[in-house]
Amino acid sequence: MKNFIFKTNNTWTGTLLRWTMGMVFMPHGLQKTFGWFGGMGLNKTMGLFTENLHLPFVIAFTVILVEFLGSIFLLLGWGTRFWALAFIGLLTGIMFTSHLENGFFMNWFGNQKGEGCQFDILAIGIVITLCIEGGGKLSVDRWMSERNNINKD
């Protein structure tokens, strides 16, 4: 299992994709945990998720955890495949519970009730590629796999 999590190709593909996901989702995680960027912070976000959206406490906390810690770990390239799998679960859940009912397209012009699933599909494609590729260059995964002689490229 350790080989699956840390093995990575020595390319820039994984690096670029994980930095993209990390940079896109980090502000969302910071909104939910600390209230930065106009967010509600941890307590209010948990209240919204559990009381208004009726998510179980564990699921609500996991959403916040994946967006916040997952973003940090993707930026570092540490456990890239684990966090990519976590994002697949997160994005699939969001798509089926919140976005699919609004169709395919994002709500650029405010013509829809809410966001469609277009972004979710795009982000899922990125993290599936990270599951295949690994963290790439400049990743803790690469350093750990070289140190433990896991990679054979």
Side-chain angles (χ1 to χ4, degrees):
M1 184 59 132
K2 181 170 79 170
N3 290 0
F4 171 75
I5 297 295
F6 295 111
K7 185 174 180 178
T8 179
N9 293 327
N10 191 23
T11 65
W12 288 103
T13 305
T15 308
L16 179 62
L17 292 175
R18 66 183 170 76
W19 285 353
T20 300
M21 282 296 291
M23 287 187 287
V24 166
F25 278 91
M26 176 63 74
H28 292 280
L30 292 170
Q31 285 178 318
K32 290 174 179 73
T33 52
F34 300 114
W36 296 2
F37 305 110
M40 297 187 297
L42 184 60
N43 290 332
K44 288 182 181 176
T45 302
M46 285 296 294
L48 172 73
F49 284 177
T50 57
E51 295 164 23
N52 294 27
L53 300 177
H54 308 292
L55 292 175
F57 180 88
V58 173
I59 300 295
F61 189 72
T62 300
V63 167
I64 296 167
L65 184 78
V66 170
E67 286 189 11
F68 178 61
L69 287 181
S71 297
I72 293 170
F73 283 106
L74 282 181
L75 287 169
L76 296 171
W78 195 351
T80 300
R81 286 189 173 94
F82 171 82
W83 290 106
L85 289 169
F87 270 102
I88 290 170
L90 172 77
L91 292 160
T92 302
I94 291 169
M95 182 170 63
F96 280 106
T97 60
S98 301
H99 296 162
L100 200 57
E101 65 191 28
N102 300 314
F104 177 73
F105 293 102
M106 294 177 66
N107 195 14
W108 290 104
F109 304 108
N111 307 357
Q112 306 168 184
K113 178 182 160 194
E115 297 295 339
C117 62
Q118 185 176 29
F119 174 80
D120 303 315
I121 293 168
L122 180 63
I124 289 169
I126 290 173
V127 290
I128 287 173
T129 305
L130 283 172
C131 285
I132 297 166
E133 182 73 15
K137 293 181 178 285
L138 304 178
S139 66
V140 173
D141 292 347
R142 182 75 188 164
W143 175 79
M144 289 176 69
S145 62
E146 285 177 349
R147 188 168 181 247
N148 295 312
N149 200 23
I150 294 172
N151 286 327
K152 306 281 188 241
D153 352 307

